[in-house]
Amino acid sequence: MRYLHFAFPIVALSAVHVAAVAGAQSEGRGDFVRHIFTSADTDGDGELTFAEFKAHVVAHTTHPNRPANAPPPPTDEQIAEHFTAIDTDESGALSFAEFQAGHRPPPPPRDR
């Protein structure tokens, strides 16, 4: 699977949304990603369509209270490319497993 380096900032910027939830900082990473997935799954069917995924990304990367040093919001093309990359079964929708696998932080640099 290809890892797109803007993927983790998408999840990190969603922290603006999660920070409003009491105890969000004490949640484990899996719970954090589950919360993001659930909040993006607006029809509650257990999958994220491209429209749901894009709406969530746009809403949380253009939030007026996001940190001033946050990276710029991804373009529509970047959002589509990321969605396609993590939709490993090419169903046109993301399961939680695909979403979670696609939002792993990049590996640390290797010492040479």
Side-chain angles (χ1 to χ4, degrees):
M1 172 189 338
R2 291 183 300 155
Y3 177 80
L4 302 174
H5 291 286
F6 65 87
F8 196 69
I10 289 172
V11 173
L13 288 172
S14 293
V16 171
H17 174 74
V18 176
V21 178
Q25 294 175 353
S26 64
E27 289 182 323
R29 181 162 172 23
D31 291 340
F32 175 77
V33 175
R34 172 65 75 182
H35 179 78
I36 292 168
F37 182 86
T38 302
S39 67
D41 182 17
T42 56
D43 65 6
D45 67 353
E47 297 183 316
L48 293 185
T49 63
F50 177 70
E52 289 172 321
F53 180 79
K54 180 179 175 185
H56 185 80
V57 169
V58 169
H60 292 95
T61 59
T62 59
H63 193 281
N65 294 331
R66 74 182 226 262
N69 63 344
T75 64
D76 288 349
E77 182 178 282
Q78 288 173 318
I79 296 170
E81 185 178 333
H82 181 59
F83 183 88
T84 300
I86 64 177
D87 182 17
T88 56
D89 67 3
E90 300 178 355
S91 66
L94 302 178
S95 66
F96 176 69
E98 288 173 315
F99 183 78
Q100 186 174 36
H103 289 86
R104 291 190 179 123
R110 294 176 60 180
D111 293 332
R112 292 185 184 211

